[in-house]
Structure formats: structure tokens, C-alpha cells
Amino acid sequence: MKPSTVNTGAEIRRFPDGFQWGVATSSYQIEGAWDEDGKGPSIWDTYAHTPGNIHNDDNGDVANDHYHRHHEDVDLMRDIGATAYRFSVAWPRVFPDGAGAPNRAGIDFYDRLVDALLAAGIEPYATLYHWDLPQTLQDEVGGWQSKDTAKAFADYAGYVSGRLGDRVKHYFTINEFASFVEGGYQGVDVKVGGDEIVHLGAAPGLRLSDSELKQVRHHAVLGHGMAVQAIRAHGPAGTKIGFADNIRVAVPTIDTPDHVAAAERATRARNAGFMTVMLEGRYTDEYLAEAGGRSPVFTDEELGIIAEPLDFVGLNVYKPGWYVEPSDEAPGYRDIPINASHPRMQSSWHLLDPEVLYWAPRLVQNLWNPPSIYITENGCGASDVMAHDGRIYDSDRVMFLRACLGQLQRATSEGVPVHGYFLWSAQDNFEWMDGYGNRFGLVYVDFDTLERTPKLSASWFREAARRNAVV
Ligand code: NOJ
């Protein structure tokens, strides 16, 4: 049969030249070697070692053993066509007590990793905080409850950019502010049936009041701003810096100017404690009035630091935050309830709407017009198993990726400045409270043997990256 001469989607749905096709991971979720070569304990080591916190009482002691297998993992990334890799640096590997003398063996690991990536033609993008706070800072100053942690974070960020800056040109300061602040310092109560309520938390597993929580948020964004200043001071000129936040996106139900304006207002309001203040340098009046107007306590100088100019904004986008429609009454939008039959992916929180990959960057551009945007995470958990023929047929992930990338391509074709996409995740790994029971990787990991096998979605990714298009 003659091949079709009709244009294929891949010829039409191309991304701009130079678009990065990346994969992402984080230190605690893959490295293992939790107490090797001088590394100090992190709050996640402590939290996962406490029985009852994690599904199956799993922990990250060994994880994917990436610390010892990073050469194999870099080869796999190269084989699946990744042009960029977003990894995180474990702060307690580099500063075992959070501050003080650096641990040479710790930073040497990232030196070796970066060299291996560059030799494989993969651009390194480093995240400096993906939640594994040194336990000493938790014990001695109360973690992010204290401004001292923000300062220690900046010192650590400056040191890392000084050591890796000749080869690492892109940094994300902090990953997903809301996840570690709300999850770690307040947690959420989820009704699981009948009257039973389960408290879902993250390290360090505290339960603060609303006003205390707002102060923690303030220290987190302050830590981000201080880290930006420290990287600018210690890294080479031209180093590019941003954050990677899980923006809560209000999705309009109808694409008309009044609905889009309502979605913008809602998105700006719901992100007031993190993205809005980092990009505007002020807390909204509504945000300041919450929790009885008692918090956060801050100075104008701190607001200036929090809003240090950035080179790009990183967005972790998995799901719609919620849906809105316009309203004549303040605040100018109304939340819409989500239908019980709305489709979902495997994770309990994962409401499915690929269009969020269009709306997230478009609303961010409309609201704040940053010079550049990256999708720093997108992906889905799935019930992957190895079939009799040794392959892993993750058809739901392929469906999810094709639909999401299609919407992202719609954004770039309309001129939204998205310069790269990082798929979560390069390989199956420790999925926080779900332990090893929820797989997000392009590469399957047998957690008994630690053998790695690329899935069907890895073939999809390779082809999309090769053609720089939705395939
Ligand atoms: C976002 C987090 O940054 C990452 O650590 C996590 O595994 C993925 N979401 C999937 O839940």
C-alpha cells in the first residue's frame, strides 16, 4: 500500500525550533543512598521512617538507587530522546546540617551527574529545593516556620550555583510551594467513607493554624527571592533562574473574553500567597484580610526580594484547579461545581482535563507576561504491569500525553512563550505518600531487582521529541 500523502499531525502540530523535550525527577524520589558519603538526614527520611505515614511503609532509603546507577539512567534518557533533564539537588547531601561546612562528597555526586548529562548531549536544569529539608534545620529553627531557613537556603543555593555554574545554566529555586507548605505544615483531612476521616500530610507532618501557615508561605517565597539574589551573586553572568510552581489554574468553561477574564481574576486570587506575590511584589488586599488580617508579618524590603526579576516561570501542570464562570458580583467570578462523573486518571487527586496545558501558560502570559515559560512537570500515575512479552503497555499515559501536548502546542502556536516541557517522570519512583504503589515513569522500574525497562510511552516520547511535534 502506498503511504498516505495527506499531511500527518506531526507535520502540522510542531513546536517552535529549540523547544526542550525534557524529563524530570527529584532527589528523594530516586537517589537512595540516604546516609552515604556524609549525607545528613532530611525531614523526608524522618517522615518516611515513621510507621503509618507512607503506603506500605515504603521509604526512600534505596529508592531507584540512582546515586549508584546514574550513568545507566543518563543513557536511558539519551535513548528516549530527552534533550533536557530536570533533577533536584538534595540539600542535606551538600550541607548535612543545612548550613556550615559543605560536604565535598555530596556536591561531587552532582558534578559527576552533570558531566554525564553533558557528555550525552542533555542540558541539565537543576531544582534546588524539592522538599528534602535538612532535619537539623527542622529541629533547631522549626524549618520554614523560621526566616533562618530562608537565609540558609539562599547560602546553599549560592554555593551550588558557584560549584556547578560553569555547566548548569538553568536553576529552579523551589518546587511546588503549596505542596510542601500546605501538605507539610497543615495537611488535609479527607473523608474516606462514612464518618471516617483520614489526615493526609507530608513531611514534617505538622498541623498549624491558618495564620501560622501564612507566615510559613511568606518564608518560602522569601527563601526563593533570597536564593535568586544568591545565585545572581555566585553563578556566572547569564545564569537563568525561575521557580517551578504548581499553579492552581481556574479553567474557563467557554472561551470568550468575559469567561477568560473571570478565569484570570480567579487564578490571580487563588495563587496570592505564592505566584502572585512572587510576580507582582505585593500581597492582594483580599489575601491580607484572610485569617483575621494577622498574618503574614513582612516588610516592604522583603516584598522587593520576593519579586526579584526572573528569567522564566516554571509551571507544574497536571490537572485543572477548578472551573469558573463570570459573575457581576465581587470578586467577578463564580466557582462551578465539578460533576461526579468528570473523568480522572489514577491518582486520587488527578482530575483529567488536557486543556489545562493550554490555559495554564496562556493565563500566566495574560496576567504576568513573563519572558519565558517552561512546563516543569506534567504526567500521570498509572497501573503499569509488565506483559508476558516483557513490554509495558501504558496506553492511558500515551493518551494523556498526546492530548496534553496537543493543547500545549495550541498555546505555542498562538505565541505563548513556552520554551520547553519536562515530563514527570524519567522513571517510576517513590511517589511520596503513595510509596512505590503509583508509577509515573516513562521507564518501568522493578523495585525488587531495580531493573529498568522503557514503556510504550517512552517510544511515544522519543518520536515526539525527534519530530519536535505532537505524534
Ligand atoms: C509533583 C511533585 O513535584 C512530584 O514530586 C510528584 O511526584 C508529582 N507531582 C506526581 O505527584
Side-chain angles (χ1 to χ4, degrees):
M1 202 172 84
K2 261 177 63 183
S4 164
T5 51
V6 177
N7 277 350
T8 66
E11 283 160 18
I12 302 163
R13 295 189 295 160
R14 285 178 55 80
F15 285 88
D17 288 347
F19 189 80
Q20 292 282 25
W21 286 85
V23 289
T25 63
S26 87
S27 45
Y28 187 71
Q29 293 178 273
I30 64 164
E31 284 180 2
W34 78 283
D35 61 352
E36 261 182 63
D37 293 341
K39 175 181 168 292
S42 80
I43 55 171
W44 267 96
D45 291 313
T46 308
Y47 191 74
H49 288 160
T50 308
N53 280 342
I54 309 293
H55 168 77
N56 201 32
D57 281 341
D58 290 341
N59 61 52
D61 290 3
V62 176
N64 298 22
D65 196 31
H66 171 78
Y67 189 77
H68 300 114
R69 297 171 194 243
H70 60 276
H71 281 291
E72 179 187 350
D73 290 338
V74 170
D75 287 349
L76 279 164
M77 286 181 229
R78 186 199 50 216
D79 293 349
I80 64 177
T83 60
Y85 177 43
R86 173 177 172 242
F87 62 95
S88 82
V89 177
W91 182 352
R93 222 180 258 299
V94 181
F95 287 95
D97 294 318
N103 171 32
R104 290 297 289 264
I107 193 74
D108 284 354
F109 165 68
Y110 298 103
D111 248 333
R112 294 194 295 278
L113 174 63
V114 166
D115 286 344
L117 288 166
L118 291 173
I122 299 171
E123 186 70 27
Y125 285 67
T127 304
L128 293 163
Y129 188 69
H130 204 122
W131 314 345
D132 40 1
L133 184 78
Q135 183 64 44
T136 311
L137 285 176
Q138 189 62 46
D139 296 341
E140 291 185 354
V141 303
W144 292 101
Q145 280 185 269
S146 164
K147 219 176 269 184
D148 292 347
T149 294
K151 197 180 163 315
F153 177 59
D155 292 343
Y156 145 73
Y159 175 77
V160 172
S161 64
R163 279 294 308 270
L164 303 181
D166 56 335
R167 287 151 296 148
V168 178
K169 306 294 180 201
H170 298 83
Y171 294 89
F172 302 104
T173 53
I174 291 184
N175 178 69
E176 292 203 356
F177 292 81
S179 298
F180 78 92
V181 173
E182 331 278 341
Y185 289 82
Q186 198 169 53
V188 278
D189 290 324
V190 180
K191 233 185 165 152
V192 289
D195 288 336
E196 202 193 338
I197 292 191
V198 166
H199 183 74
L200 287 184
L206 302 178
R207 279 176 180 244
L208 304 185
S209 68
D210 287 347
S211 74
E212 289 169 319
L213 191 73
K214 287 177 84 178
Q215 199 61 44
V216 176
R217 287 190 198 128
H218 178 70
H219 294 153
V221 289
L222 182 61
H224 152 79
M226 292 171 85
V228 175
Q229 292 184 331
I231 299 168
R232 297 247 188 262
H234 293 94
T239 302
K240 305 256 191 267
I241 316 170
F243 54 72
D245 196 26
N246 52 330
I247 181 175
R248 298 171 195 189
V249 188
V251 174
T253 42
I254 306 178
D255 189 353
T256 53
D258 54 335
H259 279 74
V260 175
E264 284 170 16
R265 281 192 287 275
T267 299
R268 178 171 178 268
R270 202 62 69 88
N271 293 279
F274 299 122
M275 199 171 294
T276 306
V277 70
M278 288 189 286
L279 296 175
E280 296 185 15
R282 62 180 292 264
Y283 288 113
T284 64
D285 296 341
E286 298 72 25
Y287 183 74
L288 290 177
E290 284 170 14
R294 289 188 305 278
S295 62
V297 177
F298 60 92
T299 64
D300 285 348
E301 190 195 346
E302 287 173 358
L303 287 181
I305 296 171
I306 289 167
E308 273 291 323
L310 301 175
D311 301 293
F312 49 75
V313 161
L315 305 175
N316 289 7
V317 187
Y318 289 84
K319 63 180 184 82
W322 75 113
Y323 293 89
V324 293
E325 62 185 12
S327 164
D328 291 337
E329 285 162 30
Y333 61 89
R334 190 183 306 117
D335 296 354
I336 291 177
I338 290 168
N339 227 2
S341 58
H342 193 107
R344 291 168 184 274
M345 302 305 289
Q346 175 167 270
S347 304
S348 57
W349 46 264
H350 205 165
L351 204 66
L352 172 64
D353 186 347
E355 286 212 8
V356 74
L357 266 289
Y358 169 77
W359 288 109
R362 177 165 155 195
L363 294 179
V364 166
Q365 187 199 24
N366 291 359
L367 280 166
W368 298 298
N369 200 22
S372 175
I373 298 173
Y374 285 95
I375 300 301
T376 31
E377 283 186 34
N378 169 248
C380 65
S383 59
D384 308 324
V385 287
M386 189 173 278
H388 291 305
D389 60 4
R391 295 182 64 193
I392 297 98
Y393 297 102
D394 51 344
S395 54
D396 48 350
R397 181 171 293 108
V398 172
M399 171 279 291
F400 179 85
L401 295 176
R402 186 191 288 127
C404 287
L405 267 300
Q407 291 296 329
L408 187 62
Q409 194 274 341
R410 178 179 160 211
T412 57
S413 71
E414 289 179 15
V416 182
V418 181
H419 292 115
Y421 167 91
F422 292 87
L423 194 151
W424 186 273
S425 180
Q427 47 185 254
D428 296 339
N429 56 48
F430 178 83
E431 175 56 12
W432 308 113
M433 284 78 83
D434 288 350
Y436 298 100
N438 195 0
R439 296 173 177 274
F440 275 77
L442 288 179
V443 172
Y444 181 89
V445 178
D446 179 325
F447 288 105
D448 293 326
T449 63
L450 295 173
E451 195 183 333
R452 278 95 157 126
T453 311
K455 303 177 191 175
L456 180 63
S457 55
S459 309
W460 183 88
F461 182 90
R462 187 194 299 112
E463 201 54 33
R466 192 172 75 78
R467 293 173 187 256
N468 195 27
V470 187
V471 290

